[in-house]
Amino acid sequence: METKKKKVKKLISLIVPVYNEEANILPMYEACKNAMNDVPSYNWELIFINDGSKDNSFAGLKQIALKDKRVKALDFSRNFGKEVALTAGIQNCSDDADAAIFMDADLQHPPSLIPQFIKKWEQGADIVASIRKSTKKKAFIKHIGSKIFYAVMNKNADSPLTQNATDFKLIDKKVIAVLRKFTEHNRMFRGLIDWLGYKTEYIEFIAPERMHGEATYSLIKLARLAVNSMTSFSLFP
Ligand code: UDP
Ligand code: MG
């Protein structure tokens, strides 16, 4: 007679979008592994989404996934953007994941903070979000751009966005379930998750410089994201 295998440990799904990160993925994998060693009462899986990288990121991801069954490597046919990659991560994490954590692949969202996210979640938060404390000045145009963005959003949006909030975030399985039901094509994760109105706690962190390579969020892409966000979350435009 077969009995249903009882789930003993909770499962944390780590979701990481990847665009041209060939030099970062191995250090990222190691850092995640180390962080999860600090919370041994949890099982984990690591889902990389290759967002049409032009370098050898996907080959590297496949290699890691072959050696470590906890690692999955998804592959997009072309570059769709981080928001779409995060959406694919949520759609493809295990059905029995108890929580998911979104992290950048360049180690600017330090995996060593994972245990702190888990702790706040254990204490009852449905969402653990993070606020990035700035250390150095943003380029002037990005600085002004983000000021205007938050001003417009928060004057008119249904739910205010937290300034300097990042996509480095833990969400409980009930939030995963809700996100899986959304099919909107252009989603702004940050806004969407805040808009849902779940109990949220915050962690502050200082982002280090990206480990290797260059940030790919060009001004054009940031502007497009801002416009998408404003039209999705504010009636003003
Ligand atoms: N990324 C992605 N698709 C893109 C651009 C970026 O999946 O089109 C990933 C990238 O690999 C990284 C994260 O999104 O894991 C953040 O990108 P980046 O470091 O370029 O942005 P920033 O640090 O300026 O927020
Ligand atoms: Mg980065």
Side-chain angles (χ1 to χ4, degrees):
M1 195 175 67
E2 236 194 333
T3 47
K4 197 164 175 258
K5 213 172 97 197
K6 201 169 156 232
K7 195 175 148 188
V8 277
K9 290 184 177 186
K10 286 190 172 176
L11 175 65
I12 309 285
S13 190
L14 309 174
I15 296 176
V16 181
V18 172
Y19 181 61
N20 297 344
E21 305 278 11
E22 62 182 8
N24 292 326
I25 50 184
L26 197 55
M28 181 61 186
Y29 163 67
E30 295 292 344
C32 289
K33 213 163 60 170
N34 287 338
M36 294 313 293
N37 279 340
D38 291 339
V39 279
S41 55
Y42 289 93
N43 283 329
W44 56 276
E45 63 181 2
L46 175 52
I47 304 191
F48 285 110
I49 305 94
N50 178 42
D51 183 18
S53 295
K54 296 184 172 64
D55 66 359
N56 289 317
S57 292
F58 189 58
L61 293 177
K62 272 194 297 191
Q63 243 177 14
I64 299 172
L66 265 179
K67 288 195 195 124
D68 188 336
K69 290 293 153 219
R70 296 169 293 192
V71 180
K72 279 194 221 170
L74 309 181
D75 191 28
F76 284 173
S77 53
R78 65 167 171 88
N79 180 241
F80 285 90
K82 178 180 178 181
E83 306 290 314
V84 180
L86 293 178
T87 306
I90 281 296
Q91 301 297 347
N92 287 281
C93 67
S94 289
D95 289 336
D96 56 353
D98 293 287
I101 303 179
F102 305 111
M103 282 181 293
D104 284 357
D106 55 7
L107 289 106
Q108 290 198 287
H109 295 164
S112 57
L113 298 178
I114 290 173
Q116 290 184 37
F117 280 79
I118 291 179
K119 190 151 186 223
K120 290 215 188 269
W121 171 59
E122 281 172 342
Q123 290 167 348
D126 296 320
I127 296 171
V128 185
S130 63
I131 310 278
R132 180 176 173 162
K133 290 205 282 188
S134 57
T135 43
K136 69 172 188 89
K137 282 216 150 63
K138 270 187 201 167
F140 180 71
I141 180 95
K142 274 198 184 179
H143 178 72
I144 294 295
S146 101
K147 274 266 185 285
I148 293 172
F149 172 70
Y150 282 106
V152 172
M153 286 298 287
N154 289 344
K155 214 168 167 56
N156 302 282
D158 301 339
S159 56
L161 287 181
T162 314
Q163 198 155 359
N164 295 329
T166 75
D167 291 324
F168 188 13
K169 205 166 261 187
L170 176 151
I171 60 174
D172 181 76
K173 61 169 181 276
K174 61 189 177 201
V175 185
I176 298 178
V178 173
L179 287 180
R180 280 182 163 187
K181 290 189 189 136
F182 276 84
T183 49
E184 223 185 312
H185 172 67
N186 266 318
R187 301 206 272 179
M188 206 198 77
F189 247 72
R190 235 172 277 172
L192 183 56
I193 292 176
D194 292 345
W195 178 76
L196 293 172
Y198 283 98
K199 186 175 183 319
T200 306
E201 292 290 339
Y202 291 89
I203 284 178
E204 279 195 329
F205 76 108
I206 293 172
E209 293 289 309
R210 70 164 25 246
M211 190 166 218
H212 296 284
E214 273 167 30
T216 44
Y217 263 93
S218 61
L219 270 177
I220 297 283
K221 274 194 184 175
L222 278 177
R224 193 179 298 143
L225 181 64
V227 169
N228 273 334
S229 309
M230 290 196 241
T231 49
S232 314
F233 288 98
S234 164
L235 286 175
F236 171 63

